Amino acid sequence: MSWPIRTRTGSRAGRGASVREPAAGARSARVPAAVRARTAARARVRILGALAVAAVAAPLVPAAPAIAAPPPPCLTSDLALSWAPGGTAVSGGTEPGSSRTAVVSLRNAGTATCMLDGFPKVTLAQGATTETLVDQRSVSHSAVDLEPGASARFTLTFQQGQSGDDGVVEPVTAIVTPPNNTASKNMRWRWGPVAEQESANPPRNFVGPVVAS
């Protein structure tokens, strides 16, 4: 007896082709992408951690201190001038031809700190006759800051003269203009006749720079 033969629609190959699996290349492409993403995330975490450790370990560098501005120049009106001890000059003068010194004190009579820097201008006056002292540049100096009530000083060097001689001035007043000022103050001259400068000779009457007391 013969049995009827039943046929199936489609072949095994056809059925297998109808269920499509992802290609091997696609699977391998997706897996490395995920791995790369995880690797990149881990790398970012490591970098951030290293930066945090470096920030904690880095030494703190203090900011550079601000440089204070120097005080303004002392005004003539804020300075009290007086003769100070320490010179060799004698009241009324002595020993014509000798070199003498007189010291001037400058006290800050103002209410704020100020600065004196350089040479005052000093002119000895007898009526219309005057003798101006030259700067003693051989003496080193630096700026002097004067707090209220503090004092600085400068020294006059002059050649003593003989009263009545030619080329001699008998000052009545010393006109003093402090450094960096145009206004002046007068001091009564106490030290007798002064020989005038002679153009043919080196200067013999000097004013030194302001220095700290």
Side-chain angles (χ1 to χ4, degrees):
M1 178 181 292
S2 62
W3 298 96
I5 298 172
R6 295 180 181 179
T7 60
R8 295 179 181 178
T9 302
S11 63
R12 185 181 302 273
R15 291 198 305 273
S18 65
V19 180
R20 297 184 180 274
E21 295 181 0
R27 288 198 303 273
S28 62
R30 285 199 299 271
V31 172
V35 172
R36 287 195 299 271
R38 289 195 296 273
T39 303
R42 293 192 189 102
R44 286 195 294 271
V45 170
R46 286 197 297 270
I47 293 172
L48 292 175
L51 292 175
V53 171
V56 172
L60 296 177
V61 179
I67 299 176
C74 297
L75 299 178
T76 301
S77 57
D78 287 333
L79 294 173
L81 276 59
S82 61
W83 298 109
T88 61
V90 175
S91 181
T94 186
E95 298 183 18
S98 63
S99 181
R100 297 289 167 174
T101 59
V103 181
V104 177
S105 172
L106 307 98
R107 180 175 60 84
N108 182 3
T111 58
T113 299
C114 60
M115 176 183 67
L116 288 169
D117 186 12
F119 296 83
K121 179 181 177 182
V122 178
T123 298
L124 308 181
Q126 178 193 10
T129 303
T130 60
E131 172 70 7
T132 298
L133 282 65
V134 299
D135 296 346
Q136 192 173 8
R137 296 288 179 180
S138 60
V139 179
S140 61
H141 69 283
S142 58
V144 179
D145 292 347
L146 284 185
E147 296 180 355
S151 297
R153 60 184 174 84
F154 66 88
T155 300
L156 308 179
T157 302
F158 62 93
Q159 183 172 323
Q160 195 81 72
Q162 176 66 53
S163 180
D165 284 356
D166 291 338
V168 171
V169 59
E170 300 187 42
V172 176
T173 304
I175 305 170
V176 179
T177 305
N180 301 306
N181 278 271
T182 56
S184 60
K185 285 192 173 183
N186 294 346
M187 303 178 67
R188 186 177 67 83
W189 184 255
R190 301 168 50 185
W191 315 115
V194 175
E196 296 176 336
Q197 307 277 18
E198 295 182 8
S199 58
N201 294 322
R204 54 196 178 190
N205 300 328
F206 299 94
V207 56
V210 175
V211 297
S213 292

